[in-house]
């Protein structure tokens, strides 16, 4: 296992760890016959309400096969048809030298790929990734990038020019993974899609072109899939807006956490196409994206059998590169932000005045229905933060689609546990529990003689990542009791490693400074205007935000500003 860790073979490391712990391998997928596989396929494809005819044959598209090959989807049978037929127009790359230039792209297309771009994309492939239904391994693409860049640059440009995607590139092999230890129904399985590495590579190149093109159309409160913005930023913004509102006397905050039922699967390509053109994407590229989203063959693979192929025409395909970005575009036209109520997206949440709050919720529900997004009212929860001393009646419940939304005391939002006191007690309990379970793995490794830097590497990647998750959000606000519990956990890890480790306060302060620096350098960050207003015209220091309540004074932004000014003073 030490050798595997030195070679950066994470898969081998985990196999060795399972051997040391005596871990019994659980079934990763069900065992069933072809009928069971077909039932799963129909269930995963249940959002397709309108059957679609097979696509017409073209020089770029393969005709749908009569049945799924009986071979394992990670290998391509020798008798399978070729990926596509371009007759004599494929450039010859058998001789050494620079890659040939791709064919000129018609004026109607705004995207043309060069062999250099394709070569870089080929070299970024991960060699250990599972092979898709086309049987082309990522190791082959990475190793032969110089030889294949010319062929694939021509192929990709031809696909963009025609506005068509090869059907084999759109095919998904679905591997059902159980959500529970003993699944008993179809809904207990999560579909994991294996798709073509070539298609993923083309998607990355298209995404690099799309992202700056539609940046002005994106919702500024969309935290998912944005460069240099992530989970920590979403939680920090939510807490900042809530705590600044609670600075007012007699104020309260209501937070609604919406939950969609299989949101990616319910997207309507026709509606997405209209939104792409509104966002400024040219018609030719929009046509290519719509062809990429429709007529997608899908089959389920279980041990010993494979299902028939079904054609999907609704939703964005899972296991692809473009799907998350297209979902953010699909939801970008609904945005709301005022001084008393706002809606931010990672998941979605809103807080503020009751009347405006209810109107926003109803408007969001209506928008979801128009866009074929199904809100799961049973999983939608509301968190009420109210520190008023006098006894106030609880707010009237919000009704969504005939179901009253449950008001909860705590909610797990993006992996961080929030409660109605905003004191991080529930979050600390969860982190201590997870940290103790992972310390067991660290002790077992030491008992088998793993020492020194290898043990420290395991601590940083497995134990420390769990203990310090979201630390920039909570490190300055937790109670002294919770801080001592976390420090005690770190000291236990230190005794196992045999070397000193930084305390929670030191790690938190360092990461808060790094996060504040990232926010100051990111002009598109939602808190950029707030930070700009705190800037001083006389020095590099920031003006301290005005704080009335201790709760806000100990939150991320005031604490980070104090640390920033202290560092600049030195």
């Amino acid at each position: 296992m030490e050798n595997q860790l030195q070679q950066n073979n994470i898969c081998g490391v985990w196999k060795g760890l399972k051997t040391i712990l005596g871990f019994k391998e659980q079934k990763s997928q069900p065992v069933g016959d072809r009928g069971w596989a077909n039932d799963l396929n129909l269930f995963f494809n249940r959002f397709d309400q309108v059957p679609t005819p097979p696509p017409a044959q073209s020089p770029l598209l393969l005709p749908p096969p009569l049945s799924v090959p009986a071979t394992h989807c990670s290998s391509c049978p020798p008798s399978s048809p070729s990926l596509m037929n371009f007759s004599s127009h494929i450039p010859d790359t058998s001789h050494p030298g620079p890659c040939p230039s791709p064919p000129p792209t018609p004026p109607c297309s705004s995207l043309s790929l060069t062999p250099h771009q394709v070569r870089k994309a080929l070299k970024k492939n991960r060699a250990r990734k599972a092979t898709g239904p086309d049987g082309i391994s990522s190791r082959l693409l990475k190793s032969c990038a110089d030889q294949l860049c010319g062929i694939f640059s021509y192929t990709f440009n031809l696909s963009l020019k025609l506005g068509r995607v090869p059907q084999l590139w759109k095919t998904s092999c679905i591997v059902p993974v159980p959500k529970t230890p003993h699944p008993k129904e179809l809904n207990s399985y999560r579909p994991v899609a294996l798709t073509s590495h070539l298609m993923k590579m083309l998607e990355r190149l298209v995404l690099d072109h799309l992202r700056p093109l539609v940046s002005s159309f994106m919702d500024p409160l969309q935290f998912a899939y944005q460069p240099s913005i992530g989970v920590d930023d979403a939680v920090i913004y939510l807490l900042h807006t809530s705590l600044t509102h609670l600075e007012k006397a007699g104020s309260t905050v209501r937070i609604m956490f919406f939950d969609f039922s299989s949101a990616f699967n319910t997207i309507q390509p026709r509606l997405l196409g209209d939104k792409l053109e509104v966002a400024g994407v040219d018609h030719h590229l929009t046509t290519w994206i719509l062809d990429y989203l429709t007529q997608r063959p899908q089959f389920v693979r279980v041990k010993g059998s494979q299902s028939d192929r079904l054609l999907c025409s609704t939703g964005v395909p899972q296991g692809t590169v473009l799907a998350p970005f297209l979902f953010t575009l699909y939801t970008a036209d609904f945005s709301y932000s005022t001084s008393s109520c706002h809606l931010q997206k990672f998941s979605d949440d809103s807080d503020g005045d009751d009347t405006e709050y209810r109107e926003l919720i109803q408007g969001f529900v209506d928008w979801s229905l128009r866009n074929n997004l199904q809100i799961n009212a049973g999983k939608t929860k509301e968190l009420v933060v109210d520190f008023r001393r006098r006894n106030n009646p609880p707010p009237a419940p919000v009704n969504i689609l005939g179901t009253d939304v449950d008001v909860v005391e705590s909610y797990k939002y993006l992996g961080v546990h929030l409660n109605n006191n905003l004191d991080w007690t529930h979050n600390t309990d969860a982190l201590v529990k997870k940290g103790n379970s992972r310390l067991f793995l660290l002790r077992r490794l030491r008992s088998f003689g793993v020492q020194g830097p290898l043990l420290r590497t395991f601590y940083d990647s497995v134990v420390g990542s769990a203990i310090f998750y979201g630390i920039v959000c909570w490190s300055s606000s937790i109670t002294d009791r919770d801080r001592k519990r976390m420090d005690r956990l770190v000291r236990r890890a230190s005794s196992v490693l045999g070397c000193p480790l930084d305390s929670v306060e030191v790690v938190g302060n360092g990461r808060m400074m790094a996060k504040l620096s990232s926010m100051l350098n990111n002009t598109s960050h939602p808190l950029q205007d707030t930070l700009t207003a705190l800037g001083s015209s006389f020095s590099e220091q920031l003006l301290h935000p005005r704080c009335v309540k201790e709760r806000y004074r100990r939150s991320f932004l005031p604490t980070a500003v104090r640390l920033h000014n202290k560092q600049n003073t030195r």
Side-chain angles (χ1 to χ4, degrees):
M1 195 180 70
E2 290 182 356
N3 293 333
Q4 298 295 338
L5 190 57
Q6 290 174 343
Q7 296 170 10
N8 199 27
N9 184 356
I10 305 302
C11 181
V13 171
W14 280 109
K15 286 182 179 179
L17 183 63
K18 291 177 181 179
T19 302
I20 289 175
L21 299 177
F23 179 79
K24 295 182 179 180
E25 188 70 28
Q26 298 179 351
K27 296 179 179 179
S28 61
Q29 56 174 300
V31 179
D33 55 12
R34 188 182 182 89
W36 173 244
N38 283 329
D39 290 342
L40 280 170
N41 200 14
L42 289 171
F43 177 76
F44 294 147
N45 199 37
R46 65 191 183 278
F47 297 100
D48 251 349
Q49 299 177 357
V50 181
T52 53
Q57 298 185 21
S58 71
L60 191 63
L61 292 175
L62 284 174
L66 298 178
S67 62
V68 179
T71 57
H72 191 282
C73 76
S74 62
S75 60
C76 188
S79 60
S80 62
S82 60
L83 185 61
M84 56 195 70
N85 181 15
F86 290 127
S87 64
S88 60
H89 297 286
I90 296 181
D92 180 17
T93 58
S94 58
H95 56 82
C99 295
S101 300
T105 307
C108 57
S109 176
S110 61
L111 176 60
S112 178
L113 302 174
T114 65
H116 177 67
Q117 290 175 298
V118 176
R119 184 189 292 108
K120 288 179 62 178
L122 285 167
K123 289 184 177 294
K124 288 182 180 179
N125 277 293
R126 295 184 181 180
R128 298 184 63 86
K129 283 288 185 178
T131 303
D134 58 1
I136 301 177
S137 70
S138 57
R139 186 185 300 275
L140 169 68
L141 298 176
K142 183 180 181 71
S143 303
C144 303
D146 295 332
Q147 291 78 16
L148 297 175
C149 62
I151 294 176
F152 287 131
S153 64
Y154 182 92
T155 305
F156 293 163
N157 282 322
L158 183 57
S159 173
L160 294 168
K161 172 184 175 181
L162 298 177
R164 308 298 295 273
V165 178
Q167 193 175 28
L168 190 56
W169 289 5
K170 297 192 289 184
T171 302
S172 298
C173 172
I174 307 296
V175 180
V177 177
K179 300 179 183 177
T180 59
H182 303 287
K184 297 181 180 179
E185 55 184 13
L186 298 176
N187 197 32
S188 299
Y189 295 95
R190 178 180 291 107
V192 176
L194 301 179
T195 56
S196 168
H197 290 293
L198 287 174
M199 189 63 216
K200 288 181 180 179
M201 188 171 59
L202 178 54
E203 290 175 63
R204 293 188 190 99
L205 295 170
V206 172
L207 180 59
D208 292 340
H209 174 78
L210 278 178
R211 197 185 295 277
L213 191 65
V214 301
S215 58
S216 60
F217 181 75
M218 300 298 291
D219 184 359
L221 295 185
Q222 171 62 260
F223 290 85
Y225 316 117
Q226 300 299 316
S228 302
I229 297 178
V231 170
D232 292 339
D233 301 272
V235 178
I236 287 171
Y237 187 85
L238 172 63
L239 293 174
H240 173 75
T241 52
S242 300
L243 291 171
T244 51
H245 180 76
L246 290 169
E247 288 280 285
K248 305 173 186 176
S251 61
T252 182
V253 170
R254 298 179 68 178
I255 308 172
M256 181 75 70
F257 298 95
F258 292 101
D259 182 85
F260 286 121
S261 296
S262 301
F264 280 20
N265 294 328
T266 56
I267 287 179
Q268 294 291 319
R270 176 183 56 83
L271 296 176
L272 178 60
D274 296 338
K275 297 179 182 186
L276 286 170
E277 296 196 354
V278 171
V281 181
D282 66 86
H283 178 72
H284 205 71
L285 187 55
T286 300
T287 302
W288 183 89
I289 292 175
L290 293 182
D291 186 78
Y292 155 77
L293 293 178
T294 54
Q295 304 290 341
R296 303 188 318 272
Q298 164 187 307
F299 64 94
V300 170
R301 186 194 74 201
V302 297
K303 289 185 178 179
S305 182
Q306 292 182 157
S307 71
D308 296 326
R309 293 197 182 192
L310 292 178
L311 286 179
C312 309
S313 58
T314 300
V316 291
Q318 298 186 30
T320 59
V321 176
L322 273 178
F325 185 76
L326 293 178
F327 180 75
T328 61
L329 276 175
Y330 192 75
T331 58
D333 59 334
F334 189 94
S335 60
Y336 195 92
S337 180
T338 65
S339 59
S340 61
C341 195
H342 79 273
L343 185 139
Q344 69 181 64
K345 301 169 185 173
F346 203 114
S347 293
D348 304 275
D349 64 88
S350 55
D351 64 270
D353 176 69
D354 185 73
T355 303
E356 186 181 8
Y357 175 71
R358 292 178 181 273
E359 291 176 353
L360 171 59
I361 290 175
Q362 187 58 48
F364 183 69
V365 172
D366 294 340
W367 175 87
S368 300
L369 293 174
R370 290 195 303 270
N371 288 271
N372 201 46
L373 292 172
Q374 303 174 12
I375 292 181
N376 190 335
K379 290 186 177 180
T380 297
K381 306 297 179 184
E382 184 179 27
L383 187 70
V384 179
V385 183
D386 189 355
F387 296 117
R388 292 176 292 181
R389 293 183 179 180
R390 62 182 183 275
N391 294 327
N392 293 281
V398 177
N399 188 281
I400 294 180
L401 303 176
T403 302
D404 287 344
V405 175
D406 294 333
V407 179
V408 296
E409 294 184 357
S410 65
Y411 187 85
K412 186 178 180 181
Y413 177 59
L414 303 177
V416 176
H417 295 260
L418 303 175
N419 62 13
N420 54 2
N421 291 322
L422 300 181
D423 59 6
W424 299 106
T425 303
H426 291 77
N427 187 69
T428 304
D429 292 340
L431 291 179
V432 170
K433 181 179 179 181
K434 183 179 292 186
N436 282 324
S437 66
R438 299 201 177 186
L439 274 179
F440 168 74
L441 304 179
L442 197 67
R443 292 191 183 99
R444 290 291 289 174
L445 286 179
R446 190 187 64 173
S447 69
F448 273 78
V450 177
Q451 298 291 339
L454 296 181
L455 204 61
R456 180 60 188 267
T457 299
F458 185 86
Y459 166 80
D460 292 334
S461 59
V462 177
V463 184
S465 61
I467 296 175
F468 300 130
Y469 179 80
I471 191 172
V472 296
C473 308
W474 52 261
S475 65
S476 61
S477 305
I478 58 175
T479 63
D480 292 338
R481 175 180 176 272
D482 288 339
R483 187 181 300 278
K484 290 178 181 178
R485 294 172 64 194
M486 296 295 295
D487 284 335
R488 193 179 304 119
L489 193 63
V490 173
R491 287 196 297 271
R492 290 175 188 167
S494 176
S495 65
V496 175
L497 293 175
C499 63
L501 295 174
D502 292 334
S503 64
V504 171
E505 183 179 6
V506 173
V507 175
N509 290 347
R511 295 193 185 182
M512 278 195 290
M513 288 296 298
K515 175 57 69 176
L516 182 63
S517 176
S518 174
M519 290 179 176
L520 290 170
N521 296 328
N522 188 355
T523 56
S524 62
H525 196 282
L527 285 176
Q528 179 65 212
D529 293 339
T530 303
L531 293 172
T532 302
L534 297 177
S536 173
S537 57
F538 301 100
S539 66
E540 295 182 358
Q541 295 192 354
L542 299 173
L543 301 178
H544 194 277
R546 182 180 178 182
C547 303
V548 177
K549 307 284 181 64
E550 178 68 19
R551 194 177 296 107
Y552 178 50
R553 187 179 296 112
R554 296 179 60 185
S555 65
F556 166 80
L557 190 59
T559 304
V561 169
R562 285 197 299 269
L563 293 172
H564 177 270
N565 293 340
K566 185 177 180 180
Q567 185 181 39
N568 286 340
T569 301
R570 291 177 180 176

